[in-house]
Amino acid sequence: MQVRTDAIPADRATRWERLTALPLTFLSVMFLVVYAVPILRPDLPDSWRAACEATTVLIWLLFWVDFVTRLILAGERRRFLRDHLFDLAVLVLPMLRPLRALRLVTVVLNLSRRAESWARGRLAVYVGATTMLLVLVSALAVLDAERSATDSNITSFDDAMWWATVTITTVGYGDHFPVTATGRFVALGLMIGGIGLIGFVTGSLATWIVDRVSEKGRAAAATVDDIAALRAEIAALRRQLDPQASTTGDDPDRRDHADQPAG
Amino acid sequence: MQVRTDAIPADRATRWERLTALPLTFLSVMFLVVYAVPILRPDLPDSWRAACEATTVLIWLLFWVDFVTRLILAGERRRFLRDHLFDLAVLVLPMLRPLRALRLVTVVLNLSRRAESWARGRLAVYVGATTMLLVLVSALAVLDAERSATDSNITSFDDAMWWATVTITTVGYGDHFPVTATGRFVALGLMIGGIGLIGFVTGSLATWIVDRVSEKGRAAAATVDDIAALRAEIAALRRQLDPQASTTGDDPDRRDHADQPAG
Amino acid sequence: MQVRTDAIPADRATRWERLTALPLTFLSVMFLVVYAVPILRPDLPDSWRAACEATTVLIWLLFWVDFVTRLILAGERRRFLRDHLFDLAVLVLPMLRPLRALRLVTVVLNLSRRAESWARGRLAVYVGATTMLLVLVSALAVLDAERSATDSNITSFDDAMWWATVTITTVGYGDHFPVTATGRFVALGLMIGGIGLIGFVTGSLATWIVDRVSEKGRAAAATVDDIAALRAEIAALRRQLDPQASTTGDDPDRRDHADQPAG
Amino acid sequence: MQVRTDAIPADRATRWERLTALPLTFLSVMFLVVYAVPILRPDLPDSWRAACEATTVLIWLLFWVDFVTRLILAGERRRFLRDHLFDLAVLVLPMLRPLRALRLVTVVLNLSRRAESWARGRLAVYVGATTMLLVLVSALAVLDAERSATDSNITSFDDAMWWATVTITTVGYGDHFPVTATGRFVALGLMIGGIGLIGFVTGSLATWIVDRVSEKGRAAAATVDDIAALRAEIAALRRQLDPQASTTGDDPDRRDHADQPAG
């Protein structure tokens, strides 16, 4: 919290993000652990269960502290809120317990937002990581929601992971499916993630094919650099004609010079 | 209805659309309400049910009035009919009751057609809104068609919404599916919507990836502006050589001037 | 069959195709009718059934006559065979009865191959028509294969059409599915068609989005015409400097002229 | 193994790959045969079964020899390992028996990596071949894993092939689905393959549509060749102005020449 107050706001926001990046990632992993353990071990003693619950609430409060601090440090607060609607929703909605785990996805999304370079390979790694996290968190959430429901068919973690995989790839065998309202909302998130995933893979492959095919078949398009080289050449030509006009030949509107006879 | 008759037809059509935009949207929402209420509350007293039915017919007639007025005001009526085939189909087909509710989709489509700017963000909002409306209307229509059918497995609004979501994402678990002809036609519309939705998401992501990747990796292509700057430069050069030809140097075919010696 | 023999081979092939286009389309529709009737009416008297079978064989023979004639008239026969592998497969394979009906798809594909203009709208119409034909033919073929099978769940044309729709959109509820080998091969064709359909819709939407977004946001790229205008301008400039070199200035390698003093 | 040791490392690696290409392909086919036979014929005598197992181990060892040789011959070993992570995983993981068969996919991938030209047609052939191989191998692997499982519904090769087809196209009827952990991992690979397949088909169609549509509607973009022609023209112009500067006019920064009067 030792943020110098004499710096300009934008600087302090950046410094805060840099300072909290590692602790927040650690807190997110912790959150996943204390979220997962009571779901995976239904026979957990009540004392441990209470400890997990308490840790969840504590981490959630720390996420709130981080969000409010970033809001205060932000230059344009209205814009900050608009840009972080998903973060806010995840913080406000956790009354609905399973949705809280989606905070992890936010971490990955934040990581990818901070990345300077967006090469295709790096993008693929982030999409892959987000997909795996989404499958894991959804499996946990759906298992939590469905286990004790009547007529439920998702009662083990194996089945939950299998169901999440079958859903995100939009295969949908129908051997396992949620029957509770909460489970169905989790499924909705997974399906939207699945469509996004397919869209990303398709889009990446499409651009890759375009590059592969166009590299060979077509001549390279003229670039701004080619045009700049041409302009330099013409400028040199003008200087040759009128040595007095030895400044940059970039301004074609200087008619006074142009009106002088060339020789 | 106070459209001035001394204006030119095109103007009157535009003014009519501007005048009716808000009332039509209100009527569409009303239509959805009176369509949904008898489906969601099967125990509705007969008097209320009759009132809903009457309102449906009234709004439908007002839609007809709007369509015929726009057809009369349109400059080229054949072209207007060709461009509004979907509107016409929705107005003529409502003998089939569930299809009537698709009128709402037309409203959203009209809104998006009127939009001046087609930025990607705005496009995404319209596609999202259309998708949600399509899911809602399809769930209502399929529930109306399936509820009383033999061997039906879609008997509550929850199940209908879940079925519509599972169908539009092309997951298709098979825990709920329509068994009546009407329900299957509703499903057909949803599936086509789903393929369009996946196509839109994929297409958007593909163009986004192309932009992201090409912004960094490739030099910007030369634009018409770059070429125009070059031409201005060469024109200035020609004026330098031949001060008398001080008019625009745009016409390279004026050989009489070019034939004069430079110095 | 009154093809003039004094024409050059390529001409005769084109004339043959023009002459047979309409009869072949009629024969294809006939083929679909005589294929569909015995499937849709299982209680058809044996005499009618035999008549349908005879017509099927007759049309099939006429397709063979057309194929062999086109092969003989073709300039490069090896290339013709390579370009018409699908036509040939459909003619040879009809030992397997349901596949014969795929001949109709060939007709649509041929129509689209003959089309001069490939505007996006026209492409969409062909894809839509092919999709509907594929669904119809597959429904007939699967019904024919499955109806009498043990444990079959596709026993009416309604169910077959519904199954084909659910399959081509890759939704796959699993309420109806083929259990025979023939039915499963039909399903394979439908699924491949479905992936192609999704690919086409996605591709069309992607290019449409790219056009929409790029039209507004980016400056137009420089075209070859812009460059040609620039070259004409420079050519005029060279004529201004050296009036004797009044021929085209296209050859920058003519050093003998360039070595003469400008004034 | 007669690799000359006096050649430069890169050459020896290339020669090794050329020498082993055919034997490795043969070994891969052998591997598929000895992998498939005991699965397809569960009543195989134990002696034959042992022979198949021994051949599998032998071929696996030969694959290891090839991999280690290529690693030794590679110029940059770290980079070689990074580029061949999938090859290495397939060699190390075969403790899990069904995954071993994926070695075949590597062969096809290697073939396509060696291909000099990446025309769209050739790419489609490789994707088609990989898809078919993936379906075949997955069907064998899932049958091997599921046949003896309790409550299994994939007990014949026909059903396994049908299940693999329904899964890779993401239709997922749910009439057959794996229930064992191994079977579900095979399914995961198939689903990922399916998403990749859809992505490839969509991407190819999208680029094809773009080419089709843009060929007609838009003027060709200016290429680097057009710009080069322009520069040559301007260079000739400069030589005309200053015959002494008869060297290449490529350097616009040579101000000393440009300062001389033109006439």
Side-chain angles (χ1 to χ4, degrees):
Chain A
M1 293 294 246
Q2 287 104 331
V3 179
R4 286 223 317 271
T5 48
D6 50 358
I8 54 166
D11 242 31
R12 285 163 61 195
T14 313
R15 203 173 303 161
W16 172 261
E17 287 199 8
R18 230 178 280 147
L19 264 174
T20 56
L22 210 72
L24 279 182
T25 307
F26 171 76
L27 282 180
S28 300
V29 173
M30 270 295 288
F31 191 98
L32 183 59
V33 170
V34 296
Y35 176 71
V37 164
I39 296 172
L40 294 177
R41 300 286 301 272
D43 54 335
L44 208 68
D46 277 2
S47 57
W48 278 96
R49 192 171 291 272
C52 284
E53 188 60 40
T55 317
T56 303
V57 171
L58 183 69
I59 294 172
W60 181 48
L61 286 176
L62 289 174
F63 283 152
W64 261 112
V65 168
D66 168 62
F67 186 82
V68 170
T69 312
R70 281 195 293 149
L71 178 61
I72 291 167
L73 293 178
E76 304 169 70
R77 274 162 212 179
R78 192 161 301 186
R79 206 188 138 178
F80 178 85
L81 280 177
R82 209 190 55 205
D83 286 1
H84 296 78
L85 272 182
F86 184 58
D87 295 35
L88 188 60
V90 167
L91 283 174
V92 173
L93 292 177
M95 311 302 122
L96 302 163
R97 205 160 158 264
L99 288 176
R100 271 187 224 165
L102 285 179
R103 184 68 183 72
L104 261 292
V105 179
T106 329
V107 170
V108 175
L109 287 175
N110 275 339
L111 280 177
S112 62
R113 212 176 288 148
R114 276 170 201 149
E116 318 88 53
S117 116
W118 273 87
R120 214 177 296 173
R122 182 169 281 222
L123 204 59
V125 170
Y126 284 126
V127 170
T130 310
T131 304
M132 278 190 273
L133 196 54
L134 189 60
V135 166
L136 176 63
V137 168
S138 301
L140 287 170
V142 95
L143 180 61
D144 192 31
E146 294 283 316
R147 181 150 35 197
S148 52
T150 331
D151 296 326
S152 166
N153 50 56
I154 305 176
T155 53
S156 73
F157 184 63
D158 282 13
D159 284 356
M161 282 296 284
W162 170 244
W163 165 82
T165 307
V166 168
T167 299
I168 206 170
T169 56
T170 80
V171 169
Y173 289 122
D175 52 345
H176 298 284
F177 49 84
V179 295
T180 64
T182 311
R184 284 174 174 181
F185 272 107
V186 173
L188 179 66
L190 256 185
M191 288 169 197
I192 292 171
I195 288 182
L197 176 68
I198 291 175
F200 177 79
V201 171
T202 303
S204 301
L205 279 170
T207 58
W208 181 80
I209 293 167
V210 169
D211 283 3
R212 275 279 177 188
V213 170
S214 66
E215 260 167 36
K216 311 265 166 174
R218 289 183 212 158
T223 65
V224 166
D225 288 349
D226 295 322
I227 297 284
L230 259 176
R231 289 185 75 172
E233 194 115 350
I234 295 172
L237 190 60
R238 281 179 76 189
R239 274 193 302 277
Q240 233 171 327
L241 286 167
D242 183 6
Q244 280 78 41
S246 60
T247 50
T248 61
D250 267 347
D251 186 4
D253 296 316
R254 282 189 305 160
R255 301 257 161 107
D256 45 336
H257 275 259
D259 286 344
Q260 290 171 9
Chain B
M1 298 292 247
Q2 287 102 332
V3 179
R4 284 220 320 271
T5 49
D6 50 358
I8 54 165
D11 242 32
R12 284 163 62 194
T14 314
R15 202 173 302 161
W16 172 260
E17 287 199 10
R18 226 177 284 147
L19 263 174
T20 56
L22 209 72
L24 279 181
T25 307
F26 172 77
L27 282 180
S28 299
V29 173
M30 270 294 288
F31 191 98
L32 183 59
V33 170
V34 296
Y35 176 70
V37 164
I39 295 173
L40 293 177
R41 301 285 301 272
D43 53 336
L44 207 68
D46 277 3
S47 57
W48 277 95
R49 191 171 291 272
C52 283
E53 189 59 40
T55 316
T56 303
V57 171
L58 184 68
I59 294 172
W60 181 47
L61 286 176
L62 289 173
F63 283 153
W64 261 113
V65 168
D66 169 62
F67 186 81
V68 170
T69 312
R70 281 196 291 150
L71 177 61
I72 291 168
L73 293 178
E76 304 170 71
R77 273 161 214 180
R78 194 163 298 187
R79 206 188 138 178
F80 178 85
L81 280 178
R82 210 189 54 205
D83 286 0
H84 295 78
L85 272 183
F86 183 59
D87 296 34
L88 187 60
V90 167
L91 284 175
V92 172
L93 292 178
M95 311 302 122
L96 303 162
R97 208 162 155 258
L99 287 176
R100 272 186 223 164
L102 285 178
R103 184 67 183 75
L104 263 291
V105 179
T106 329
V107 171
V108 173
L109 287 175
N110 274 339
L111 281 176
S112 62
R113 210 177 290 150
R114 276 172 200 147
E116 319 88 50
S117 116
W118 274 86
R120 214 178 296 173
R122 182 169 282 221
L123 204 59
V125 169
Y126 283 126
V127 169
T130 309
T131 304
M132 277 191 274
L133 196 52
L134 188 60
V135 167
L136 175 63
V137 167
S138 302
L140 287 170
V142 95
L143 181 60
D144 192 30
E146 295 283 317
R147 181 149 35 196
S148 51
T150 330
D151 295 327
S152 166
N153 49 57
I154 306 176
T155 51
S156 73
F157 184 63
D158 283 11
D159 285 355
M161 282 296 284
W162 171 241
W163 165 83
T165 307
V166 167
T167 299
I168 205 169
T169 57
T170 79
V171 170
Y173 289 121
D175 52 344
H176 297 284
F177 47 84
V179 294
T180 64
T182 311
R184 285 173 173 182
F185 272 106
V186 173
L188 179 65
L190 256 184
M191 287 169 199
I192 292 171
I195 288 181
L197 175 67
I198 291 175
F200 177 78
V201 171
T202 302
S204 300
L205 278 171
T207 58
W208 181 80
I209 293 168
V210 169
D211 284 3
R212 276 279 178 188
V213 170
S214 66
E215 260 167 37
K216 310 264 166 176
R218 289 182 212 159
T223 65
V224 166
D225 287 350
D226 294 322
I227 298 285
L230 258 176
R231 292 185 72 172
E233 194 113 351
I234 294 171
L237 190 60
R238 282 180 74 189
R239 273 194 302 277
Q240 234 170 326
L241 286 167
D242 182 7
Q244 279 78 40
S246 60
T247 49
T248 61
D250 266 349
D251 186 4
D253 295 316
R254 280 189 306 158
R255 303 255 161 110
D256 44 338
H257 275 258
D259 285 345
Q260 289 170 9
Chain C
M1 294 295 248
Q2 287 103 334
V3 180
R4 285 220 320 271
T5 49
D6 49 356
I8 54 167
D11 242 30
R12 285 162 62 195
T14 313
R15 203 173 302 161
W16 172 261
E17 286 199 10
R18 226 177 284 146
L19 263 174
T20 56
L22 209 72
L24 279 181
T25 307
F26 171 76
L27 282 180
S28 299
V29 173
M30 268 296 285
F31 191 97
L32 183 59
V33 170
V34 296
Y35 176 71
V37 164
I39 296 173
L40 294 177
R41 301 284 302 270
D43 54 336
L44 208 68
D46 277 3
S47 57
W48 277 95
R49 191 170 290 273
C52 284
E53 189 59 41
T55 316
T56 302
V57 171
L58 183 69
I59 295 172
W60 180 47
L61 287 175
L62 289 173
F63 283 153
W64 261 113
V65 168
D66 167 61
F67 186 81
V68 170
T69 311
R70 281 195 292 150
L71 177 61
I72 291 167
L73 292 178
E76 305 169 69
R77 273 161 214 179
R78 193 162 300 186
R79 205 187 139 179
F80 179 85
L81 280 177
R82 209 189 56 205
D83 286 0
H84 295 78
L85 272 183
F86 184 59
D87 296 35
L88 187 60
V90 167
L91 283 175
V92 172
L93 292 177
M95 311 302 122
L96 302 162
R97 209 163 155 258
L99 287 176
R100 270 187 224 163
L102 286 178
R103 184 66 184 73
L104 262 290
V105 179
T106 328
V107 171
V108 174
L109 286 174
N110 275 339
L111 280 175
S112 62
R113 211 176 288 150
R114 276 172 200 146
E116 318 88 52
S117 115
W118 274 86
R120 214 178 296 173
R122 182 170 281 222
L123 205 57
V125 168
Y126 284 126
V127 169
T130 309
T131 304
M132 277 191 275
L133 195 52
L134 188 60
V135 166
L136 176 64
V137 168
S138 302
L140 288 170
V142 95
L143 181 60
D144 191 30
E146 295 282 316
R147 179 146 40 194
S148 51
T150 330
D151 295 327
S152 166
N153 50 57
I154 305 176
T155 52
S156 73
F157 184 62
D158 283 12
D159 284 356
M161 283 296 284
W162 171 243
W163 165 82
T165 307
V166 168
T167 299
I168 205 169
T169 57
T170 79
V171 170
Y173 289 121
D175 52 345
H176 298 285
F177 49 85
V179 294
T180 63
T182 311
R184 284 174 174 181
F185 272 106
V186 174
L188 179 66
L190 256 184
M191 288 169 198
I192 292 171
I195 288 182
L197 176 68
I198 291 176
F200 177 79
V201 171
T202 303
S204 301
L205 278 171
T207 57
W208 181 80
I209 293 168
V210 169
D211 284 3
R212 275 280 180 187
V213 170
S214 66
E215 261 167 35
K216 312 263 166 174
R218 291 184 211 157
T223 64
V224 166
D225 287 350
D226 294 322
I227 297 284
L230 257 176
R231 291 185 74 171
E233 194 115 350
I234 294 171
L237 189 59
R238 281 180 77 189
R239 274 192 303 276
Q240 234 170 326
L241 286 167
D242 182 9
Q244 280 79 41
S246 59
T247 49
T248 60
D250 265 349
D251 186 3
D253 294 317
R254 282 188 306 158
R255 301 256 161 110
D256 46 337
H257 275 259
D259 285 344
Q260 289 170 11
Chain D
M1 293 296 244
Q2 288 104 331
V3 179
R4 282 220 321 271
T5 47
D6 51 356
I8 53 166
D11 242 32
R12 285 163 62 195
T14 313
R15 203 174 302 161
W16 172 261
E17 287 199 9
R18 228 177 282 147
L19 264 173
T20 57
L22 210 73
L24 279 181
T25 307
F26 171 76
L27 282 180
S28 300
V29 173
M30 269 295 286
F31 191 98
L32 183 58
V33 169
V34 295
Y35 176 71
V37 165
I39 296 173
L40 294 178
R41 300 285 302 271
D43 53 336
L44 207 69
D46 278 1
S47 56
W48 278 96
R49 191 171 292 272
C52 284
E53 189 59 40
T55 316
T56 303
V57 171
L58 183 69
I59 294 173
W60 181 48
L61 286 175
L62 290 174
F63 283 153
W64 261 113
V65 168
D66 168 61
F67 186 81
V68 171
T69 312
R70 281 195 292 149
L71 178 60
I72 291 167
L73 293 178
E76 306 169 70
R77 275 162 212 179
R78 194 162 299 187
R79 205 187 139 180
F80 179 86
L81 281 176
R82 209 189 56 206
D83 286 0
H84 296 78
L85 272 181
F86 184 58
D87 296 37
L88 187 60
V90 167
L91 283 175
V92 173
L93 292 177
M95 310 303 120
L96 302 163
R97 207 160 157 262
L99 288 176
R100 270 187 225 164
L102 285 178
R103 184 68 184 72
L104 262 292
V105 179
T106 328
V107 171
V108 174
L109 287 175
N110 274 339
L111 280 176
S112 62
R113 212 176 288 150
R114 275 171 200 149
E116 319 88 51
S117 115
W118 274 87
R120 215 177 295 174
R122 181 170 283 220
L123 205 59
V125 168
Y126 283 126
V127 170
T130 310
T131 303
M132 277 191 275
L133 195 53
L134 188 61
V135 167
L136 175 63
V137 168
S138 302
L140 288 170
V142 95
L143 181 60
D144 192 30
E146 295 283 316
R147 181 152 32 199
S148 51
T150 330
D151 294 328
S152 167
N153 50 57
I154 305 176
T155 52
S156 73
F157 184 61
D158 283 12
D159 284 356
M161 282 295 284
W162 170 242
W163 165 82
T165 307
V166 168
T167 299
I168 206 170
T169 56
T170 79
V171 169
Y173 289 123
D175 52 344
H176 298 285
F177 49 84
V179 294
T180 64
T182 311
R184 284 175 175 181
F185 272 106
V186 174
L188 180 65
L190 257 186
M191 288 168 198
I192 292 171
I195 289 182
L197 176 68
I198 292 176
F200 177 79
V201 171
T202 303
S204 300
L205 279 170
T207 58
W208 182 80
I209 293 168
V210 169
D211 283 4
R212 276 278 179 188
V213 170
S214 66
E215 261 167 36
K216 312 263 165 173
R218 290 182 210 157
T223 66
V224 166
D225 287 350
D226 294 322
I227 297 285
L230 257 176
R231 290 186 75 171
E233 194 114 352
I234 294 171
L237 189 59
R238 282 179 77 189
R239 274 192 304 275
Q240 233 170 329
L241 285 167
D242 183 7
Q244 280 78 39
S246 59
T247 49
T248 61
D250 266 349
D251 185 5
D253 295 315
R254 283 188 304 160
R255 301 257 162 108
D256 45 337
H257 274 259
D259 284 345
Q260 291 169 10

